[in-house]
Amino acid sequence: MVTAVYPGSFDPIHNGHVDIATRAANVFERLIVAVYAQPQKKVLFTAAERTEMVRRSLCDLENVTAIHYNCTTVELVHTQNAQVIVRGLRMASDFDLEYQMALTNKALASDIETFCLFTNLHCAFLSSTTVKEIVIAGGDVSSMVPAHVQRALEEKCR
Ligand code: ADP
């Protein structure tokens, strides 16, 4: 059984993340969506809030669970008895960072493979930062995030 970990900040989860998680869940027997509790970048939602939003967004997928973590991603992969890290690629500008991260993780743990999935065309422009900026400016993100995420964003931002 191959278990994959899909790590990220998910601040908050949006439809691009949902798409990657859904497709990864079709490929791997088990998928753990892992919310990095304290990323370098400033976050809007707490780790518990981000994890709960991930859980609600993916609750229809039986082989998917959501957790948050504080250690390195490779340590998490080992402790979860997983073998694979899943990442999503939107555009060429994502590649350099993902490549560097994949090589770093390989140097830290040679037994773990990184699988990158390409975004769906309709999600290519989506990022958590953009979604937050639209809500702060009073715009409508209903086509970009699940309804409960939109409500949480509006409560937090307005
Ligand atoms: P990070 O992990 O860098 O903090 P995120 O939490 O936003 O960033 O994203 C987690 C993963 O999902 C990353 O691999 C990122 O490239 C990918 N991702 C983000 N937005 C999209 C999208 N619109 N389509 C596909 N993959 C995406």
Side-chain angles (χ1 to χ4, degrees):
M1 179 165 99
V2 180
T3 299
V5 170
Y6 178 26
S9 311
F10 303 105
D11 185 48
I13 186 168
H14 55 63
N15 292 347
H17 296 130
V18 172
D19 174 65
I20 295 291
T22 304
R23 288 159 56 207
N26 282 331
V27 174
F28 301 105
E29 278 84 6
R30 197 170 140 238
L31 181 73
I32 300 164
V33 181
V35 175
Y36 189 47
Q38 286 170 321
Q40 293 292 317
K41 55 189 173 192
K42 197 168 158 273
V43 283
L44 181 64
F45 292 99
T46 66
E49 288 169 334
R50 285 179 279 138
T51 309
E52 185 52 28
M53 283 187 276
V54 168
R55 192 171 290 130
R56 280 188 74 180
S57 303
L58 303 173
C59 62
D60 289 342
L61 303 172
E62 281 177 6
N63 60 339
V64 176
T65 51
I67 57 172
H68 57 86
Y69 72 108
N70 264 315
C71 57
T72 63
T73 301
V74 293
E75 193 181 335
L76 177 80
V77 171
H78 282 152
T79 55
Q80 295 293 322
N81 293 318
Q83 298 80 25
V84 167
I85 295 171
V86 169
R87 297 287 288 177
L89 285 175
R90 276 167 292 201
M91 50 193 89
S93 55
D94 281 345
F95 177 81
D96 287 349
L97 182 65
E98 295 297 339
Y99 180 56
Q100 188 193 12
M101 222 182 310
L103 291 183
T104 304
N105 286 331
K106 199 70 179 164
L108 291 172
S110 61
D111 57 324
I112 298 172
E113 297 296 347
T114 297
F115 278 67
C116 287
L117 290 173
F118 290 103
T119 185
N120 257 325
L121 205 49
H122 66 274
C123 297
F125 65 96
L126 267 178
S127 75
S128 299
T129 303
T130 308
V131 165
K132 284 182 280 193
E133 282 172 357
I134 293 171
V135 173
I136 288 167
D140 176 14
V141 294
S142 56
S143 64
M144 302 174 195
V145 296
H148 63 91
V149 174
Q150 182 180 15
R151 282 194 297 276
L153 274 165
E154 287 171 354
E155 273 169 30
K156 191 77 99 169
C157 294
R158 288 180 188 165

